[in-house]
Structure formats: C-alpha cells, structure tokens
Amino acid sequence: MNSREKLKNVKRIVVKVGTSTLTYENGKLNLNRIEKLARVLSDLKNRGLEVILVSSGAIGVGVGKLGLKKKPSITMEKQAAAAVGQCELMYLYDKMFSEYGYVTAQVLLTKDVLDNVERKRNVTNTFITLIKMGVIPIVNENDAVSVEQIEFGDNDTLSALVATLTDAEALVILTDIDGLHAENPKENPDAELISEVDKITDEIKELAGGAGSSRGTGGMITKIMAAEIAEKAGIHTIVCDGSDPKILYKIFDGKEIGTIFNA
Ligand code: GLU
C-alpha cells in the first residue's frame, strides 16, 4: 500500500496552521478560514479521527488587537503581544469548535518541558487523557515565557514534536504554498511540485532554501526539518496549501495533494 493510501486509515493526526493562513495581510483574523478549519476538523473528528491542532497566530493576532503598526522586534513586546493574542485565538477556537459540539483545550509548551523527562511524561499524559476524553488539544509555544534559550523557535518544529509525543500517524502542515517545488516558485511560477519525498537528503533541504542557499522559499526549510523529526518517528508529513481547509478531506481520502514526506 502506498503512503497516500495509508492516509485513508490513519486515526490520530496533528494539523499545524501558520499565522499567514489564519490572518489577512493587515494582521486581522481571517474568520472565514478559521471557521472552515474548525468545521473540517470537527467533521474529521466525526469520522472517527483523533485531532490535535497546533496553531500559530498568537503574536500576529496580539499585534492586531493592540493596534500596533507592526510586529515588535523587542522580545518583551513580542511576548506581551502573544499573551494578548493567544487569549483571543483560544476564545475564537473555543467558540467555533463548540458550535460543532467539540471541547477544546489549550496546551502551551516550552522547549525545556520536552527536554525534561518528568515534565515531558506529564504533558504526554495530559495529551493522551484529553484525546481519550474526545477533546481537541490546541497547542502553541508558550510565547509569554519563552525566550531564546528555551524556545522551539517555530511551530513547524513544535508540531513535529507534538506528533511524536502523541504517537500520531500523520502530520499535516497547512501553509501558504502548495508544497515543495523542484525550483523556487517565487522565481519560477511554473516550478514543478514534488508530490512525494521518500528520504530527506541534503539535496531536498537545498531545494527548500537550506543552509548555504540563497533561494529562500518562505519557511519551507523549517517544514522539512519538521518532516525529518516526524520521519524518524515513523510519521508521514504532508505540506500543503491551507487556504481552503477542505483540502484535509482530500488528504485523508488518499488523494495526491501537496508534498508527502514518507515515514
Ligand atoms: N508561537 C508563535 C505565535 O503563535 C508562532 C511561531 C511560528 O509561527 O512558527 O505567534
């Protein structure tokens, strides 16, 4: 059975959604998209899947809510914006998921939690208990307390660690591009989409604008790093365009969507 086919039978999934998918360019929330995301994820739960959502957006939403002109560069201000935005994000998620009968839970993590055996075990137990209760855990980095020494840095990495922690079978990273391309799509709009990656090699990292390359492709490298963490744990990663959350149906119907990084 190929890996796309296998996706038809997975039970536990982690879905990661980034700030660019959740907000408009002016920083305001894309309510239509968040609503659709909540609806599709609830429907996947109805199908019998266990869903964990890793959501960014705290800083972006906080910036909008505080009326700041742009994302602050000072750590303390970023942390303050995240504390404001996380609240708003969870308020919305809670409201939208509850419309479909689902309970959500907020889980905020810092890297030092996962580096400590006991704390890691504690949070794993919390995840497993929430999933058993039918709750949708919504995870973000605890930006309000997270400074450089203890941060994951990006939610792509965080989502892969959460997938590993919870023994998920698939990780879907929803982003603003339809997957990994054979060339930088910003430079060549006709660049071919790579549908399947069996092994994450240096060449693949280079395509994503890895170290030493000047062809940055808008955050693809952190997605590849995340896929590498997931791959080692036997988890498939799919990177795809999150502008229409219904794409998740196609993925779990085994259709050829985005780029799949095989476990
Ligand atoms: N934790 C950050 C936030 O919620 C986002 C980090 C990321 O986008 O990777 O704003």
Side-chain angles (χ1 to χ4, degrees):
M1 200 194 302
N2 72 32
S3 44
R4 296 282 187 183
E5 282 289 307
K6 278 189 200 149
L7 292 178
K8 286 187 188 169
N9 300 315
V10 295
K11 178 133 177 87
R12 187 170 297 171
I13 60 167
V14 172
V15 176
K16 185 258 170 180
V17 61
T19 307
S20 60
T21 305
L22 296 171
T23 56
Y24 292 108
E25 256 169 45
N26 65 8
K28 298 270 185 209
L29 281 164
N30 187 331
L31 293 172
N32 183 31
R33 202 171 279 160
I34 301 178
E35 225 152 41
K36 280 188 188 151
L37 180 68
R39 188 173 197 275
V40 173
L41 292 178
S42 299
D43 203 25
L44 290 174
K45 286 273 292 176
N46 286 350
R47 277 195 196 182
L49 268 77
E50 293 166 339
V51 177
I52 298 144
L53 176 63
V54 175
S55 175
S56 304
I59 298 174
V61 172
V63 167
K65 203 170 181 192
L66 289 166
L68 306 178
K69 295 228 158 28
K70 58 178 178 55
K71 188 173 163 180
S73 51
I74 302 166
T75 303
M76 265 185 280
E77 289 181 0
K78 257 193 259 178
Q79 290 180 299
V84 171
Q86 180 64 26
C87 214
E88 174 83 0
L89 257 187
M90 281 312 296
Y91 165 74
L92 272 172
Y93 278 131
D94 198 47
K95 191 168 131 176
M96 289 175 182
F97 278 108
S98 65
E99 276 179 22
Y100 302 108
Y102 284 105
V103 175
T104 60
Q106 170 182 259
V107 182
L108 299 178
L109 293 171
T110 44
K111 191 167 169 288
D112 58 332
V113 172
L114 303 192
D115 290 342
N116 176 297
V117 179
E118 199 185 332
R119 298 178 79 193
K120 184 172 166 181
R121 190 173 52 231
N122 289 341
V123 77
T124 307
N125 289 340
T126 305
F127 271 122
I128 301 306
T129 309
L130 287 169
I131 294 165
K132 268 198 209 141
M133 289 172 162
V135 173
I136 301 176
I138 303 181
V139 189
N140 196 355
E141 177 152 15
N142 192 355
D143 295 304
V145 302
S146 192
V147 288
E148 213 173 300
Q149 297 77 9
I150 56 164
E151 70 181 8
F152 299 103
D154 65 86
N155 274 7
D156 295 322
T157 307
L158 175 63
S159 67
L161 294 171
V162 168
T164 310
L165 218 60
T166 54
D167 261 331
E169 288 140 282
L171 164 66
V172 181
I173 300 185
L174 296 175
T175 184
D176 51 10
I177 190 157
D178 57 351
L180 178 69
H181 291 255
E183 283 171 76
N184 185 347
K186 281 181 188 147
E187 282 161 18
N188 177 6
D190 299 325
E192 190 196 336
L193 175 73
I194 300 174
S195 168
E196 194 161 345
V197 173
D198 269 329
K199 185 138 189 58
I200 299 169
T201 57
D202 288 345
E203 232 181 337
I204 291 290
K205 287 182 192 164
E206 180 72 15
L207 281 181
S213 160
S214 55
R215 305 197 317 270
T217 53
M220 188 53 75
I221 189 65
T222 52
K223 289 165 183 60
I224 309 261
M225 300 308 232
E228 202 170 28
I229 298 173
E231 177 194 54
K232 290 201 179 98
I235 302 162
H236 297 293
T237 301
I238 302 93
V239 176
C240 63
D241 181 3
S243 56
D244 183 0
K246 279 192 185 151
I247 200 166
L248 290 165
Y249 289 129
K250 295 187 189 152
I251 290 171
F252 295 107
D253 283 341
K255 302 253 163 60
E256 206 178 312
I257 297 289
T259 303
I260 185 165
F261 296 87
N262 288 329

